[in-house]
Amino acid sequence: MDAVPLRAINPESAANWKLSYLARANGDPQKLVQVRRSFNAALRHCKSLFSKNIISQANFGVVVPKFTIKDSQRGDRQAFWFEALRFEKPGSMKFHSPVGITYESLLKDARKEIKATEPEAYKLLLLCLCAGLRRAEADTLLWSQLDENESCVRVVRTEFNEPKHDSGGVVYVDPALLTELDSFKAGSSGQFVVNSPLEWKRTNYTRYRCEPHWETLNGWLSGKGIVATKKVHELRKLFGDAIVKQQGIFAGAAQLRHSSIQMTTNHYTDPRQRAALPVSGLLKDKPTKKAIKTRKERKAVV
């Protein structure tokens, strides 16, 4: 953040930054989709950091300059650094599960391969794959957040974590999941579901107390053929995809704790919403008199 002084930024340098950022794709169509989304996120942060609502506040101590830019419709006009930059089309964000990988296959393999040898990584996988928890939520989940009476995980604000974008709520799970997690409780060293050699501490940056176990889990997922950059988040996507396919888009939105149904629709496809237009009766040829006569002759022979 401190690498570029504010005086070096102007609409032209911002436009050049956009071009250099998009060039990271190196002509790869698949990578270009990722780069465009990443660029949009970065530009969104820039625009919000220096939005008119922010810089117009009385306690904002930085004088933000305006620059004259060419506008084909309105002529020359004044604009801030990133005001003239446009977002890229992100493309489809629909999730497609990796070929040959399902939540069932991952869960079966995990029980065989890492439950006994890497129990903490196994618990993290259970929380993300079978309850759809985000990384930070699973990292600091407390035993008190597991409700066996209601068969759910309560994702609420605690002193250790605040759900992303106020997305707290209840995630209903199979009772067998809670039974599986409870089998590890005797070996628990504290209030956290997942034990860790690292202590929790408050920071101004992202820090995971279970980082060693996350590294173990990431390595195991790589060996299973998951190539996504955010492998742990891929588990949450598999969870959401399975819920939507089995219970529908509204159940998926509730279980994923999305802020709107539109967000769920943007990322997941509900196969139950596919309705085929009934035209079979219209596309059948009417039997001719000859065909009818032939059928009657066959019946007579029988």
Side-chain angles (χ1 to χ4, degrees):
M1 180 176 287
D2 297 326
V4 181
L6 294 180
R7 64 178 179 273
I9 304 176
N10 55 50
E12 183 179 354
S13 64
N16 291 334
W17 163 70
K18 176 180 180 177
L19 292 175
S20 62
Y21 200 106
L22 297 178
R24 298 179 183 182
N26 294 322
D28 186 337
Q30 291 185 338
K31 191 174 181 180
L32 181 59
V33 174
Q34 298 176 353
V35 171
R36 282 175 174 170
R37 293 176 187 171
S38 179
F39 167 77
N40 285 347
L43 181 58
R44 192 175 299 111
H45 295 161
C46 292
K47 286 178 177 286
S48 63
L49 183 62
F50 297 104
S51 68
K52 292 180 180 179
N53 292 334
I54 296 295
I55 65 179
S56 61
Q57 295 181 10
N59 61 347
F60 193 81
V62 178
V63 178
V64 181
K66 276 191 171 183
F67 303 86
T68 301
I69 63 172
K70 300 289 185 181
D71 191 314
S72 60
Q73 301 298 322
R74 293 181 289 176
D76 294 352
R77 64 184 180 91
Q78 299 293 304
F80 295 113
W81 293 309
F82 304 100
E83 193 175 343
L85 281 188
R86 295 183 179 180
F87 291 102
E88 288 289 298
K89 292 184 178 180
S92 175
M93 296 182 287
K94 295 289 186 182
F95 171 71
H96 300 283
S97 57
V99 178
I101 297 177
T102 63
Y103 82 91
E104 296 99 333
S105 63
L106 283 178
L107 187 55
K108 288 179 181 178
D109 289 348
R111 291 201 82 208
K112 294 178 183 178
E113 299 172 15
I114 63 174
K115 178 179 178 179
T117 58
E118 300 291 347
E120 307 309 320
Y122 174 68
K123 283 189 279 186
L124 291 173
L125 177 135
L126 288 178
L127 294 173
C128 297
L129 179 63
C130 303
L133 298 193
R134 298 181 178 92
R135 188 167 177 170
E137 296 166 348
D139 192 83
T140 57
L141 190 73
L142 307 176
W143 287 109
S144 59
Q145 292 177 256
L146 303 183
D147 189 336
E148 294 186 2
N149 293 327
E150 296 292 331
S151 295
C152 67
V153 178
R154 300 190 179 276
V155 184
V156 296
R157 182 179 183 180
T158 68
E159 61 178 301
F160 307 106
N161 180 63
E162 182 172 354
K164 180 181 179 183
H165 302 318
D166 296 325
S167 60
V170 173
V171 181
Y172 293 98
V173 298
D174 193 306
L177 173 64
L178 299 181
T179 301
E180 184 81 346
L181 290 170
D182 192 61
S183 67
F184 293 96
K185 195 169 185 178
S188 177
S189 59
Q191 58 185 326
F192 293 107
V193 174
V194 183
N195 299 322
S196 176
L198 304 178
E199 294 185 2
W200 180 88
K201 65 179 181 180
R202 193 177 303 279
T203 62
N204 293 325
Y205 57 92
T206 301
R207 175 187 181 272
Y208 299 107
R209 54 178 288 275
C210 297
E211 189 58 44
H213 306 313
W214 289 119
E215 291 181 4
T216 299
L217 180 57
N218 274 320
W220 185 81
L221 292 173
S222 295
K224 289 299 169 182
I226 295 183
V227 298
T229 303
K230 298 181 179 179
K231 294 177 175 55
V232 171
H233 195 62
E234 199 78 353
L235 300 179
R236 174 175 162 83
K237 291 181 178 180
L238 285 168
F239 166 82
D241 186 56
I243 292 293
V244 169
K245 286 179 178 177
Q246 295 174 16
Q247 305 294 332
I249 200 74
F250 290 96
Q255 288 287 76
L256 290 165
R257 294 165 285 121
H258 282 163
S259 58
S260 68
I261 192 69
Q262 185 60 49
M263 180 179 294
T264 314
T265 305
N266 289 342
H267 291 84
Y268 300 94
T269 301
D270 185 352
R272 304 189 314 165
Q273 292 181 350
R274 293 182 299 184
L277 189 67
V279 296
S280 59
L282 302 174
L283 298 178
K284 285 184 178 179
D285 294 327
K286 293 183 178 180
T288 61
K289 292 182 179 180
K290 183 178 181 180
I292 294 174
K293 184 177 179 181
T294 303
R295 284 205 299 265
K296 288 181 178 178
E297 290 175 349
R298 287 176 182 171
K299 286 184 178 181
V301 172
V302 175

